[in-house]
């Protein structure tokens, strides 16, 4: 179903849906606002009102006057000189998210582009001709949108399925002409915060999915490690004011209800290790950060982030050339979300270590077949530890990186887009870590020495795993199973346990985040249909 940009700005869920492949359409009112803003730019040009990037140069050249005859050249040259990205291209979902955020920003009616610019971007989105956008090279917001905008004028390259073609060829196939940019349009296409905002919406969607799975998998590990359910006592948890903590606590209680394994060990320990008894506290804190980040991202989508902004009326046009394109708040939010998810992943690895360590688990060493010829999950825990360490390095705040660009004109940088990119990488790493924990928890059930039934909910999760991955006996590369589990996490939300209070209802199957496609494109996951069938 098409996502409509109407009088109301898109929210992060709608943006994530477009990133995942839903079409985007502009309402008549949105198109009228875009057109009205273009009239303001035309009046600014006609009256010679000084306006940054309209009749002046950009960056440190902001005081250089550009004549009317040169303004088309300025717009085109801005795209050419700002398309400086390097490295592997962004994924399809990431690029779609940025494009949708840009269209949303234009629809506020303060950018000054022609409607034809927005229509060109919508047509590319809906036809699946996705511009090739190198991932790196931005300290803020410029290079990614420049590579996207190149395609609008028949330059650059696009991906269409597995095919790579020129921007000009893509427009020919769509029956569209390359656009000749008018005054301000080049600058409007590259500035603002659509890059970080689009990526941030995608990070929220993937983080929410990962947190849901982490709760479910943590319940499996807790049961296998025979924890004390008192850690999730509702009266105790209610003493700490945290919506996330109390949500996770209720989920854990419901997921582990009727567990014969846990009933058999009630009162045997005073306290469990922190990686077990602080599941509500750590997972809940991450959810509280997620909720706070949602507010920032939705606020950014509702904001006009151009520089300059055009406003007023055709009789009295106004230009605001200030700093709304700087994404300090969303950079800080992305850094915070990245750290929160990295902490959740670090604790998941600690639970995994307890599952494979016979000194504390009461399970066979490394969840392996006995006899010394099998290593089981010994080295899979190494992989998780490596990813936790990588997350720790990535979690250093991008918003503090600083730097000086544009001849001292831009002498403070927030690195908002890099903050979102590394948050996405941390979320992906976390998905892989919990995929390993999921496999280990399923294996632990197979080897569980306690002769008592699992909780109905964790039993259903175990069966879901075993439907695609058999018990591991060192009889195949474990990396293949890990990739299957990562894909399982990416393709659908976990079933939520029966709610005794106000838990969210079970998410509908299917992916609306871009995460499933990302997981399916994982190099290892792509070749796993044979192992899955063999299971």
């Amino acid at each position: 179903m098409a996502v409509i940009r109407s009088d109301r700005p898109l929210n992060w869920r709608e943006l994530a849906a477009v990133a995942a492949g839903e079409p985007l359409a502009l309402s008549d009112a949105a198109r009228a606002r875009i057109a009205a803003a273009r009239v303001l730019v035309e009046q600014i040009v006609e009256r010679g009102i000084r306006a940054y990037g309209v009749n002046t140069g950009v960056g440190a050249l902001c005081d250089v006057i550009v004549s009317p005859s040169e303004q088309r050249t300025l717009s085109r040259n801005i795209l050419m000189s700002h398309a400086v990205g390097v490295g592997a291209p962004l994924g399809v979902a990431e690029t779609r998210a940025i494009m949708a955020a840009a269209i949303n920003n234009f629809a506020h009616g303060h950018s000054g582009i022609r409607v034809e610019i927005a229509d060109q971007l919508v047509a590319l989105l809906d036809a699946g001709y996705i511009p090739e956008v190198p991932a790196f090279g931005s300290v803020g917001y410029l290079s990614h949108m420049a590579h996207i905008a190149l395609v609008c004028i028949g330059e650059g390259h696009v991906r269409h399925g597995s095919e790579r073609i020129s921007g000009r060829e893509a427009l020919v196939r769509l029956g569209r002409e390359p656009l000749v940019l008018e005054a301000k349009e080049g600058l409007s296409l590259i500035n603002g915060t659509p890059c970080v905002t689009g990526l941030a919406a995608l990070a929220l969607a993937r983080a929410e999915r990962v947190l849901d799975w982490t709760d479910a998998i943590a319940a499996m590990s807790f049961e296998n490690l025979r924890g004390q359910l008192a850690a999730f006592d509702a009266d105790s948890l209610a003493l700490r004011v945290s919506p996330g903590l109390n949500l996770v606590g209720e989920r854990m209680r419901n997921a582990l209800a009727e567990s014969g394994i846990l009933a058999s060990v009630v009162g045997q320990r005073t306290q469990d290790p922190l990686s077990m008894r602080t599941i509500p506290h750590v997972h809940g804190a991450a959810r509280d950060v997620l909720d706070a980040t949602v507010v920032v991202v939705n606020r950014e989508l509702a904001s006009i982030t151009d520089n300059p902004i055009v406003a007023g009326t055709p009789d009295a046009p106004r230009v605001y050339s200030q700093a709304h394109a700087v994404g300090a708040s969303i950079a800080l939010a992305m850094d915070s979300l990245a750290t929160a998810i990295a902490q959740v992943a670090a604790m998941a690895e600690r639970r995994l270590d307890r599952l494979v360590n016979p000194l504390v688990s009461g399970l066979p060493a490394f969840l392996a077949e006995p006899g010394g010829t099998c290593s089981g999950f010994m080295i899979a825990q190494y992989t998780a530890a490596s990813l936790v360490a990588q997350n720790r390095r990535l979690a250093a705040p991008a918003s503090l990186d600083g730097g000086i660009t544009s001849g001292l004109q831009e002498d403070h940088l927030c690195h908002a887009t890099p903050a979102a990119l590394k948050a996405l990488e941390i979320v992906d790493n976390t998905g892989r870590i919990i995929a390993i924990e999921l496999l280990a928890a399923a294996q632990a059930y197979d080897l569980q020495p306690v002769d008592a039934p699992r909780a109905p909910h964790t039993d259903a999760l175990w069966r879901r795993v075993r439907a695609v991955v058999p018990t591991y006996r060192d009889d195949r590369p474990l990396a293949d199973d890990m990739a299957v589990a990562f894909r399982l996490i990416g393709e659908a939300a976990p079933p939520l346990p029966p709610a005794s209070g106000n838990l969210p209802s079970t998410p509908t199957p299917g992916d609306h985040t871009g995460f499933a496609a990302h997981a399916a494109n994982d190099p290892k996951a792509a070749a796993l249909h044979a192992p899955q069938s063999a299971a």
Side-chain angles (χ1 to χ4, degrees), residues 323-524:
H324 287 336
V326 174
S329 61
I330 199 166
L332 291 167
M334 284 293 96
D335 278 342
S336 181
L337 180 66
T339 301
I341 300 299
Q343 184 173 114
V344 166
M347 197 165 79
E349 185 275 329
R350 290 292 80 209
R351 289 191 301 269
L352 169 64
D353 181 68
R354 300 191 76 83
L355 286 171
V356 303
N357 187 340
L359 299 177
V360 293
S361 70
L363 295 160
F366 309 112
L367 305 175
E369 294 288 332
T373 62
C374 295
S375 299
F377 283 77
M378 179 194 296
I379 309 304
Q381 185 263 330
Y382 287 31
T383 301
S386 172
L387 292 171
V388 166
Q390 186 181 13
N391 280 353
R392 189 177 297 114
R393 293 188 292 269
L394 288 168
S399 53
L400 287 180
D401 283 346
I404 300 170
T405 59
S406 196
L408 293 179
Q409 181 70 7
E410 296 171 358
D411 57 357
H412 179 74
L413 305 173
C414 294
H415 294 266
T417 299
L421 285 170
K422 72 183 184 66
L424 283 165
E425 189 173 352
I426 285 173
V427 172
D428 284 349
N429 285 342
T430 301
R432 292 183 171 89
I433 291 164
I434 64 171
I436 299 170
E437 185 187 5
L438 176 62
L439 293 175
Q443 186 88 352
Y445 281 132
D446 298 336
L447 304 172
Q448 182 58 242
V450 176
D451 185 17
R454 295 180 281 270
H457 184 71
T458 56
D459 182 70
L461 287 170
W462 172 79
R463 293 178 186 278
R464 186 166 177 176
V465 175
R466 285 292 169 255
V468 294
V469 178
T471 301
Y472 188 68
R473 295 185 174 88
D474 285 53
D475 52 346
R476 59 191 182 272
L478 188 49
D480 291 353
D481 289 7
M482 288 156 53
V484 170
F486 179 58
R487 189 170 63 207
L488 175 65
I489 288 168
E491 286 180 345
L496 296 180
S500 59
N502 295 318
L503 285 180
S505 59
T506 302
T508 54
D511 180 77
H512 296 283
T513 69
F515 187 57
H518 178 80
N521 289 329
D522 180 73
K524 291 189 180 72

Side-chain angles (χ1 to χ4, degrees), residues 95-104 121 124-125 129-131 148:
T95 306
R96 288 182 64 90
I98 293 171
M99 294 170 72
I103 295 164
N104 174 74
L121 290 169
L124 290 166
L125 261 182
Y129 285 89
I130 306 304
I148 291 170

Side-chain angles (χ1 to χ4, degrees), residues 162-202:
S162 61
E163 190 179 18
R164 181 180 189 259
I165 61 175
S166 70
R168 185 170 295 274
E169 174 63 20
L171 295 180
V172 168
R173 292 186 187 183
L174 291 173
R176 304 188 69 88
E177 294 292 327
L179 295 174
V180 176
L181 301 182
E182 301 291 346
K184 194 184 183 295
E185 289 181 329
L187 182 58
S188 293
L189 276 164
I190 65 164
N191 75 10
T193 63
C195 296
V196 60
T197 308
L199 295 172
L202 203 57

Side-chain angles (χ1 to χ4, degrees), residues 82-100 102 121 124-125 129-138 140-152 155-160 164-165 167 189-190 194-196 199 417 421:
H82 287 59
V84 293
V86 297
L90 293 175
V92 169
E94 287 81 357
T95 306
R96 288 182 64 90
I98 293 171
M99 294 170 72
L121 290 169
L124 290 166
L125 261 182
Y129 285 89
I130 306 304
E132 188 174 270
V133 182
F136 304 113
S138 174
Y141 47 81
L142 298 172
S143 65
H144 294 83
M145 274 305 301
H147 284 277
I148 291 170
L150 285 177
V151 178
C152 293
E155 301 289 344
H157 291 86
V158 304
R159 296 279 181 177
H160 186 242
R164 181 180 189 259
I165 61 175
L189 276 164
I190 65 164
C195 296
V196 60
L199 295 172
T417 299
L421 285 170

